[in-house]
Amino acid sequence: MRLAMLGLSLWAGAAAALGQSGSAAIGLFEGHGDVGTLLQPGSAEYDAATKTYTVGGSGENMWAKEDDFHFVWRKVTAKNSKNLSLAADISILGSGGDNHRKAMLIVRQNLNADSAYADAALHGNGLTSLQFRETQGEATHEIESSVSAPKGLKLEKRGDRFYLWTHGGGRQWQFAGGSTKVELEPPFYVGIGVCAHNKNAFQKAAFTNVDLHVGKLAAEGRYSTLQSIAVASTDALVSYVGQEPLQTAGWNLNGIALLFYTAGKLQSVPLKGGTPQAVTDENVMKPEPADAAKGPYSRLSPDGRQVAFLTFSKEKAGKGNKQDVALSVMSVADKKTRVLAKLVGGPGTLSANPWSPDGKRITYVSYQDLK
């Protein structure tokens, strides 16, 4: 058995923490059951001939501070569980359900409804995102990909960071942009799940070409992502992913496209993603000096009520060094401060004008080193 060759130490005695569904082994997984509150018990079937998992679940949502969904899981306790990947082609079955019904690849700390977790989620309307709850009991957030309705998803755990990959057919994986840090300690759970996003509904999804690997992952190279984050919700949207260095992200005048520099040239890309186009008016925006991000510095919102700033985790070791960064916003009136995002940043992460014209979003560059 492939997982045994990887040296996993697994335990199947957690079924009592699940709902009414069965906990018998199914394909690669040890058991399955409902997490949270579901009015209809979920289901899971495995067709060995086609290697297809058909998972059904009810549930009001998998979001906020509580998750309600059906989970097909494997418990991981191995010492080599620092890194893992879970991939599958996903089809949400049927029509007429809620637009945000979802099928997911999931890694979560435990089977409690409010567990810390990260997942790669495909929604009924095609929305694709990396969702996460950093610690148990906190709210869920997401980084939304610009890719809609991919055929396959892959969720990677590299240390404490999670990454989302997609493919549109042929299993040519593309990095979907953005990453999040969620600290999970073994034992934890990995698997697939379905949520109807309607407590009175029941949704099914098919998972094929399911591949679970625990242990060392292949190096995938370095990526830069251009993202914007909603100040109110702290949910992020990826507009562009590239392997070339990006710098100085800002907004065009109408707030529907982002500007950035790469290889010394100014580019524009729609907020929702697309193919970058060259911008010839060099007076629109100028790149930041290479040493602009040495320490805490601030950017005032258009209405003058909030200040965005970066805090670096440590002193820079040298020019161009990337490190952990906290993107925060402070109220000018009462000085209250909250962290919007934790990312890997460096020179050019935040431009001179990162605020959208309406003051509701902040754009930034994040760096990913998938080694």
Side-chain angles (χ1 to χ4, degrees):
M1 190 174 184
R2 177 171 180 247
L3 288 173
M5 293 173 62
L6 292 170
L8 288 176
S9 174
L10 301 160
W11 178 70
L18 298 169
Q20 299 177 7
S21 303
S23 59
I26 175 171
L28 291 172
F29 303 101
E30 289 182 74
H32 66 98
D34 294 335
V35 174
T37 302
L38 279 75
L39 299 182
Q40 303 180 55
S43 63
E45 300 174 357
Y46 177 62
D47 186 330
T50 62
K51 297 182 179 179
T52 299
Y53 299 83
T54 302
V55 183
S58 182
E60 185 171 3
N61 204 354
M62 188 172 177
W63 193 251
K65 295 185 178 182
E66 180 179 339
D67 306 325
D68 305 315
F69 70 105
H70 193 73
F71 190 25
V72 181
W73 51 266
R74 187 164 201 117
K75 192 170 185 178
V76 179
T77 63
K79 294 181 180 180
N80 66 342
S81 60
K82 179 179 179 180
N83 301 321
L84 67 81
S85 70
L86 176 62
D89 294 346
I90 303 175
S91 298
I92 296 179
L93 305 178
S95 60
D98 191 282
N99 281 340
H100 278 206
R101 65 197 188 278
K102 63 193 79 172
M104 303 151 290
L105 310 179
I106 308 163
V107 180
R108 61 191 291 125
Q109 184 65 70
N110 55 53
L111 301 176
N112 298 334
D114 62 349
S115 171
Y117 78 95
D119 74 27
L122 174 64
H123 296 68
N125 63 356
L127 186 152
T128 306
S129 61
L130 177 65
Q131 301 180 154
F132 57 96
R133 180 183 294 121
E134 291 185 74
T135 60
Q136 184 159 325
E138 290 191 354
T140 292
H141 300 287
E142 72 173 352
I143 301 173
E144 181 181 338
S145 171
S146 61
V147 176
S148 178
K151 182 176 177 61
L153 298 181
K154 179 166 66 171
L155 179 66
E156 288 188 344
K157 178 183 183 295
R158 294 174 179 263
D160 292 332
R161 300 202 71 88
F162 287 84
Y163 301 86
L164 170 65
W165 296 75
T166 67
H167 78 78
R171 298 185 72 78
Q172 184 66 38
W173 293 105
Q174 302 291 329
F175 179 49
S179 67
T180 187
K181 185 176 183 179
V182 180
E183 297 180 1
L184 302 179
E185 295 294 333
F188 56 80
Y189 294 81
V190 57
I192 55 181
V194 171
C195 173
H197 199 79
N198 181 334
K199 64 181 181 180
N200 296 312
F202 191 85
Q203 178 64 51
K204 285 189 174 183
F207 299 78
T208 57
N209 294 318
V210 177
D211 180 59
L212 173 61
H213 175 80
V214 179
K216 185 176 181 180
L217 301 178
E220 299 288 356
R222 293 182 171 91
Y223 292 83
S224 301
T225 66
L226 179 60
Q227 300 173 235
S228 63
I229 191 164
V231 176
S233 67
T234 74
D235 294 330
L237 171 66
V238 175
S239 298
Y240 178 69
V241 179
Q243 290 190 279
E244 70 278 14
L246 306 182
Q247 186 180 7
T248 313
W251 299 78
N252 70 348
L253 294 178
N254 60 16
I256 62 174
L258 300 181
L259 306 173
F260 64 96
Y261 271 92
T262 182
K265 297 180 180 180
L266 185 62
Q267 304 282 316
S268 173
V269 66
L271 180 62
K272 290 288 188 179
T275 302
Q277 302 293 327
V279 178
T280 57
D281 185 0
E282 292 293 327
N283 293 319
V284 176
M285 186 176 62
K286 293 294 183 182
E288 290 282 293
D291 62 351
K294 281 185 175 178
Y297 67 106
S298 59
R299 299 292 185 252
L300 191 65
S301 64
D303 60 10
R305 295 181 179 181
Q306 299 182 91
V307 175
F309 63 94
L310 296 179
T311 303
F312 287 72
S313 62
K314 58 184 178 181
E315 292 297 321
K316 289 171 59 180
K319 184 178 178 181
N321 186 46
K322 308 301 186 297
Q323 56 190 273
D324 288 340
V325 171
L327 171 59
S328 302
V329 64
M330 181 185 73
S331 168
V332 173
D334 57 17
K335 310 302 181 186
K336 290 184 178 180
T337 302
R338 61 191 181 100
V339 176
L340 300 184
K342 298 176 182 178
L343 56 131
V344 178
T349 286
L350 206 59
S351 74
N353 299 293
W355 289 89
S356 61
D358 61 8
K360 293 183 178 180
R361 300 186 75 88
I362 297 171
T363 189
Y364 60 92
V365 174
S366 178
Y367 304 102
Q368 325 292 330
D369 193 354
L370 282 71
K371 287 187 173 182

